[in-house]
Amino acid sequence: MKEQPIYSTRAHVFQIDPNTKKNWLPASKHAVTVSYFYDSTRNVYRIISLDGTKAIINSTISPNMTFTKTSQKFGQWADSRANTVYGLGFSTEHHLSKFAEKFAEYKEAARLAKEKSQEKMEMATSPSQESPAGELSSPLTPVTPPMESINGTDDICDTTPNSDPRPEPTQNALAFAHSPAMTKHWEAELEALKGNNAKLTAALLESTANVKQWKQQLAAYQEEAERLHKRVTELECQSNQTPVIKSQKTELNQTIEELENVLRDKEEEMEKLKEELENMNDLMEQKDTLTQKLEETELRSRVLEEQLAGAEQRLEETQEEQENFRKSLRTLLELLDGKIFELTELRDTLARLIEEAS
């Protein structure tokens, strides 16, 4: 293919508000791929970014462009042809610096290419037979290019869970947290994760088969697009531009655009499959964590059951000792009552004897 990506990164894309010329408007809901493309046929460098099938950046680099760093993670440049200003928000300062270096490098290359082109035009003795540079749009085929680096970044928003310390639970709270009800809760969550895991595994296997088929289709589309580009070049080089040739050229351009749309759709589907695979890996990690927690809960439940059985046994022994103590007290009280009765009778007898003696 005559146009290939030579450097790619990921960033949040913004455009200047056309009304106020001050505020930034987000062109993408999340971080998207932003690539430098090189058209070897026209010797042109372009910055291109797609959000799904929509091109949110299509900027041709010219010698008078300047990329400006406005903060540690944000940069911008003005495109007079598109009559707008583009802004990129990166996840790290390193990614911004790398993108700025590439911008300066390709801007210098564009300047040298323009100078060479002007020299050729001055030295030419006859008008050029080439068609206007902007008449054809090259397909953005997903050919694996000799990338210098591809920097994958996540969304700017940080979703790291809150790690604030929590107070230590009491013994009653620990016993409640590791009760059989909590064990059943963890088991239910584990079963649900197992079901989701099975579904995702089946979807992944099906997606892998579809990816192989799509790769074959992409290769066929690339070959067809290359053949069509060669045909268009041959038609442009012909001196006699008849209406029939122009009609064929228009049809070929339409076919190329259709192939580009198909390729973009396939790229979007492959991105979705990658996201599903990442989600499945996260679910597998959650499953392992819950399994470990369930094993710990079961172990603590067994320890608590053993402690409960020991406490119940000690309670029964204590109750038995108390019952024996009550029986002993009753026997002692009965003996005491008998002695008191005997003493009472002895007192009455002594009182009578004293009265009789007096």
Side-chain angles (χ1 to χ4, degrees):
M1 304 301 295
K2 71 174 183 176
E3 189 170 29
Q4 294 183 354
I6 52 179
Y7 176 79
S8 294
T9 185
R10 289 181 68 83
H12 289 260
V13 179
F14 299 86
Q15 287 188 7
I16 200 70
D17 190 341
N19 297 323
T20 64
K21 298 295 184 180
K22 295 181 179 180
N23 300 325
W24 288 106
L25 300 177
S28 61
K29 296 181 180 179
H30 50 79
V32 296
T33 301
V34 181
S35 302
Y36 284 101
F37 277 78
Y38 175 61
D39 189 340
S40 59
T41 302
R42 295 187 293 160
N43 203 13
V44 169
Y45 293 87
R46 291 199 295 165
I47 302 175
I48 295 176
S49 178
L50 299 177
D51 187 6
T53 58
K54 179 184 177 182
I56 54 179
I57 297 180
N58 187 0
S59 177
T60 301
I61 299 177
S62 61
N64 59 347
M65 283 186 177
T66 302
F67 184 82
T68 305
K69 297 181 183 179
T70 58
S71 68
Q72 292 183 349
K73 298 181 181 180
F74 193 87
Q76 66 184 50
W77 78 96
D79 188 341
S80 58
R81 295 183 180 180
N83 193 24
T84 187
V85 179
Y86 294 104
L88 297 179
F90 296 87
S91 62
T92 64
E93 185 177 358
H94 171 72
H95 293 159
L96 172 59
S97 299
K98 189 68 174 178
F99 188 88
E101 291 175 3
K102 295 298 178 183
F103 192 98
E105 177 183 345
Y106 301 144
K107 171 186 172 181
E108 179 64 17
R111 184 186 66 79
L112 295 175
K114 184 177 180 180
E115 291 179 355
K116 291 181 180 179
S117 177
Q118 290 177 349
E119 290 177 359
K120 290 181 180 179
M121 291 178 63
E122 291 174 358
M123 295 174 61
T125 57
S126 61
S128 175
Q129 298 295 327
E130 296 180 357
S131 62
E135 196 169 0
L136 293 175
S137 61
S138 301
L140 305 181
T141 58
V143 178
T144 303
M147 291 285 188
E148 297 185 13
S149 66
I150 298 179
N151 302 320
T153 62
D154 298 327
D155 291 350
I156 291 177
C157 296
D158 187 6
T159 59
T160 304
N162 186 6
S163 59
D164 293 337
R166 292 179 296 180
E168 292 294 329
T170 62
Q171 294 181 355
N172 293 334
L174 286 173
F176 176 77
H178 300 295
S179 63
M182 291 299 296
T183 301
K184 292 181 180 179
H185 171 71
W186 288 118
E187 289 176 347
E189 285 196 1
L190 180 60
E191 291 298 327
L193 284 173
K194 287 181 178 179
N196 292 336
N197 183 29
K199 293 179 181 179
L200 287 173
T201 302
L204 180 62
L205 293 175
E206 182 180 357
S207 301
T208 303
N210 291 335
V211 167
K212 292 181 180 178
Q213 182 180 0
W214 292 338
K215 286 182 177 179
Q216 295 176 356
Q217 293 179 355
L218 288 174
Y221 291 148
Q222 291 167 6
E223 294 177 358
E224 179 65 12
E226 185 176 2
R227 186 186 66 81
L228 292 174
H229 273 294
K230 290 180 179 179
R231 180 59 179 166
V232 168
T233 303
E234 292 174 359
L235 292 175
E236 288 177 344
C237 293
Q238 293 179 3
S239 59
N240 186 13
Q241 297 292 337
T242 61
V244 176
I245 295 178
K246 290 183 179 180
S247 176
Q248 292 178 354
K249 178 181 174 181
T250 302
E251 292 176 359
L252 289 174
N253 287 334
Q254 292 177 353
T255 305
I256 291 173
E257 291 178 356
E258 292 174 358
L259 290 174
E260 287 179 349
N261 294 331
V262 173
L263 290 175
R264 292 192 189 101
D265 294 338
K266 297 302 180 183
E267 286 179 343
E268 183 180 1
E269 291 177 357
M270 292 180 71
E271 288 293 330
K272 290 181 180 179
L273 289 176
K274 290 180 181 178
E275 293 178 358
E276 291 179 359
L277 180 59
E278 293 176 355
N279 293 334
M280 189 186 73
N281 293 333
D282 293 339
L283 289 175
M284 289 295 292
E285 293 178 357
Q286 293 179 5
K287 172 193 169 186
D288 295 337
T289 302
L290 289 176
T291 302
Q292 183 178 0
K293 289 183 179 179
L294 179 60
E295 291 174 355
E296 294 175 356
T297 302
E298 290 176 349
L299 178 60
R300 293 177 181 176
S301 296
R302 286 196 294 269
V303 173
L304 289 174
E305 288 175 356
E306 292 175 358
Q307 292 178 355
L308 180 60
E312 289 177 350
Q313 184 177 0
R314 289 194 296 271
L315 179 62
E316 290 176 357
E317 293 174 355
T318 303
Q319 290 177 347
E320 186 176 356
E321 290 176 358
Q322 289 178 354
E323 186 65 24
N324 293 333
F325 182 72
R326 289 194 189 95
K327 290 180 180 180
S328 299
L329 285 177
R330 291 193 189 97
T331 303
L332 183 60
L333 286 173
E334 290 175 358
L335 291 174
L336 185 60
D337 289 338
K339 296 297 181 180
I340 292 172
F341 181 75
E342 291 175 358
L343 289 173
T344 303
E345 289 181 346
L346 179 61
R347 176 182 174 279
D348 293 338
T349 302
L350 290 173
R352 284 195 303 268
L353 290 174
I354 292 170
E355 289 177 358
E356 288 176 0
S358 63

